[in-house]
Amino acid sequence: MEKKRNAIAEQSKQWIMEAMISLLKDKELEKITISELAKKSGLSRRTFYRNFDSKTDVIVCCCEKLCKEYITYFDRDMDYSVNHMVDVYFSFWEQHLDFLRLLSNNDLLCHLIDVSNKYWKSIYERFKNHWKDNSNETELEYCLLFNMGGLWNILIKWLYSETRQSPKELEELIKHSITLFIK
């Protein structure tokens, strides 16, 4: 019975998240009501509050779902080179540009940053074994944080660019930029 209840709760969460994304296309978060969100998801207000405390919690849950999906996407293979990391990062986000734009247009990107920061440790653990030969734990952690901050800022620029480079083009640009930075 517990398993069935969890499956129903997860499905309800999914419907509410989908309803939120749909409503955000036409309205600002502040103007969306819980009643409207519940109605759009086909659920009751009570079901909404069983799953979420607020509309912001729904956004955070959407961001968590995407970050988990990114980790799975990242784990498809075990190439932890910088080039591959850049390609995977932008290939993933290229598939979710609409969601990124939706967050950006509603001044909600901060939630994705907050959530993704919780997942960097998980990514760091994957790199730790790969890069261990030359660096200690602290150096590796700072290296990854530095890289993730840079990738995030490039992602934002890329999101707003009129002519968007492909993930492979970005890989080359970033590789060249790192070379310039090191000089």
Side-chain angles (χ1 to χ4, degrees):
M1 183 70 167
E2 184 66 32
K3 201 173 205 177
K4 184 178 181 180
R5 194 172 305 174
N6 286 341
I8 291 170
E10 287 306 311
Q11 183 61 64
S12 295
K13 278 183 172 182
Q14 184 62 38
W15 288 338
I16 292 167
M17 289 188 297
E18 289 169 4
M20 175 62 83
I21 290 168
S22 177
L23 289 169
L24 278 173
K25 291 175 183 175
D26 299 317
K27 278 182 142 176
E28 295 175 15
L29 181 66
E30 299 80 33
K31 294 181 179 173
I32 297 171
T33 66
I34 300 299
S35 295
E36 182 179 21
L37 189 53
K39 182 178 179 182
K40 180 80 172 173
S41 64
L43 302 167
S44 68
R45 284 175 50 91
R46 179 186 295 188
T47 301
F48 175 89
Y49 283 112
R50 264 190 287 224
N51 290 285
F52 299 102
D53 292 329
S54 67
K55 296 179 290 184
T56 300
D57 282 351
V58 178
I59 299 299
V60 168
C61 195
C62 290
C63 293
E64 285 175 347
K65 182 177 183 243
L66 260 184
C67 286
K68 289 174 185 172
E69 189 178 321
Y70 174 71
I71 297 293
T72 302
Y73 187 86
F74 188 75
D75 281 343
R76 291 180 312 174
D77 53 50
M78 297 300 174
D79 180 356
Y80 295 118
S81 66
V82 173
N83 290 349
H84 184 67
M85 179 179 74
V86 169
D87 183 45
V88 167
Y89 185 78
F90 287 100
S91 293
F92 177 80
W93 288 113
E94 186 174 49
Q95 295 173 27
H96 300 285
L97 280 173
D98 290 339
F99 181 73
L100 288 172
R101 282 191 199 105
L102 195 63
L103 290 179
S104 178
N105 292 341
N106 289 280
D107 295 322
L108 299 170
L109 276 172
C110 59
H111 297 295
L112 183 58
I113 294 170
D114 289 343
V115 169
S116 64
N117 281 339
K118 295 174 190 172
Y119 286 87
W120 296 139
K121 181 161 177 51
S122 175
I123 294 170
Y124 164 73
E125 291 299 324
R126 287 157 173 77
F127 279 91
K128 188 166 66 172
N129 293 331
H130 178 73
W131 289 348
K132 189 179 348 190
D133 55 333
N134 296 330
S135 303
N136 66 41
E137 294 276 327
T138 303
E139 290 171 332
L140 285 171
E141 181 181 14
Y142 277 78
C143 178
L144 187 61
L145 290 171
F146 179 81
N147 287 320
M148 291 302 145
L151 286 174
W152 177 259
N153 283 305
I154 294 168
L155 178 68
I156 299 306
K157 177 171 178 28
W158 186 61
L159 176 64
Y160 292 112
S161 295
E162 287 182 26
T163 55
R164 191 171 296 106
Q165 298 89 354
S166 71
K168 285 290 183 197
E169 290 171 319
L170 283 169
E171 180 184 321
E172 288 302 314
L173 278 168
I174 292 169
K175 185 168 53 173
H176 183 71
S177 298
I178 290 170
T179 304
L180 288 174
F181 179 74
I182 291 172
K183 286 182 182 179

